[in-house]
Amino acid sequence: MDETVVDKKVAPESDRHNAFIRWIINHDSSIWFNVFYIGLAVVLSIWLGLFWLVAVVGAHGVIEFYRQYLLHSRGWFAFAETIWEIKLDIGLIVFAFWLGVYLDFIFGIAGLSAGARMAAQAGGRVAQTGTRVAVWQRTIRGVFITLDDVGLAFKALANRKKKKSDESDSDIAKTMAGNSVSSWCSSYSKGDWLSLAFVLIFFVLIVVAPIITGKSFVEVWHILVDEMQPFP
């Protein structure tokens, strides 16, 4: 009698645990997770700043690390696999920082500022011009970051096709006992090469920004720090 009661109590907890593990393993294939994740990344990064984009990607990184640890039970291996899995997300962050550094340069805001100074000398409207520039910056950044997030959406669709979200417990156990070779050492797909090239290109462009834009290293650094303000 007691054993029956214990079984009834333990079974629901076991089911919930298995459901949670199943969700962790397959979270990249979940439509709702990806809609929430991409939507949150876009909205927060556009309206509040890149600090929140980094925070959202960081939260995804924690979930992915737990997934990789479940699969491989090795800390450093799980960390390396996590970086591999969220490389496109990291690329989004690097791209967003690149926009922050290069936006003035690309769209000729420096020239617009010079025009504003001339207007100020003639009794013009510096504040109004500055507000108009800020609006354009926010709009342009929003468009580019949203376009960049399309890459995350395609990644989610690819993951959904690759694996079923309703795997059985035996399938999960089989997955958790899977390949122990690092993804960094495996063959790369075209998407992998594109993601890696995306991160590398925009990272290098940030490093060489003083040469291209004429800003000093200190100015570039201050731009990056300002971008990371949680409440600008």
Side-chain angles (χ1 to χ4, degrees):
M1 180 74 108
D2 292 338
E3 292 180 1
T4 305
V5 173
V6 171
D7 288 342
K8 287 182 179 179
K9 290 181 178 179
V10 171
E13 293 181 5
S14 177
D15 290 343
R16 285 195 294 270
H17 180 263
N18 289 337
F20 176 71
I21 295 299
R22 188 181 296 110
W23 181 84
I24 291 292
I25 296 295
N26 298 300
H27 71 275
D28 277 339
S29 302
S30 169
I31 291 179
W32 291 111
F33 173 80
N34 282 285
V35 168
F36 179 74
Y37 175 59
I38 295 172
L40 200 62
V42 171
V43 172
L44 290 180
S45 61
I46 292 174
W47 295 108
L48 290 180
L50 298 187
F51 171 88
W52 297 101
L53 175 61
V54 174
V56 171
V57 172
H60 183 209
V62 171
I63 296 173
E64 185 61 39
F65 177 80
Y66 183 47
R67 174 181 181 268
Q68 294 297 332
Y69 192 79
L70 287 172
L71 294 176
H72 305 289
S73 300
R74 287 180 288 168
W76 283 107
F77 189 92
F79 178 77
E81 289 299 287
T82 298
I83 299 301
W84 175 265
E85 291 295 329
I86 66 170
K87 59 185 179 298
L88 187 58
D89 311 59
I90 294 173
L92 172 61
I93 293 175
V94 175
F95 176 79
F97 279 123
W98 172 81
L99 271 180
V101 173
Y102 278 84
L103 202 58
D104 291 356
F105 175 76
I106 293 173
F107 292 97
I109 303 300
L112 192 60
S113 298
R117 286 193 295 271
M118 291 177 62
Q121 293 174 356
R125 300 164 296 176
V126 178
Q128 183 178 351
T129 302
T131 302
R132 192 161 56 243
V133 169
V135 171
W136 272 106
Q137 285 180 324
R138 188 179 294 273
T139 302
I140 293 166
R141 170 179 289 175
V143 170
F144 275 103
I145 288 182
T146 303
L147 288 175
D148 196 44
D149 270 326
V150 171
L152 291 179
F154 278 115
K155 172 189 170 186
L157 290 174
N159 285 332
R160 187 168 177 80
K161 289 181 180 180
K162 185 178 179 182
K163 48 191 175 181
K164 298 177 182 178
S165 58
D166 58 346
E167 287 181 321
S168 64
D169 291 340
S170 60
D171 292 330
I172 293 176
K174 197 179 298 182
T175 302
M176 293 174 69
N179 188 12
S180 60
V181 178
S182 173
S183 298
W184 292 94
C185 300
S186 303
S187 60
Y188 295 178
S189 66
K190 291 181 180 179
D192 293 333
W193 282 115
L194 286 173
S195 298
L196 292 171
F198 184 78
V199 175
L200 182 61
I201 289 170
F202 286 104
F203 177 77
V204 170
L205 284 173
I206 292 174
V207 172
V208 300
I211 300 173
I212 297 175
T213 65
K215 294 182 174 73
S216 68
F217 283 103
V218 173
E219 288 175 315
V220 171
W221 174 252
H222 281 310
I223 290 173
L224 298 178
V225 171
D226 288 342
E227 293 287 356
M228 284 298 292
Q229 298 298 319
F231 299 104

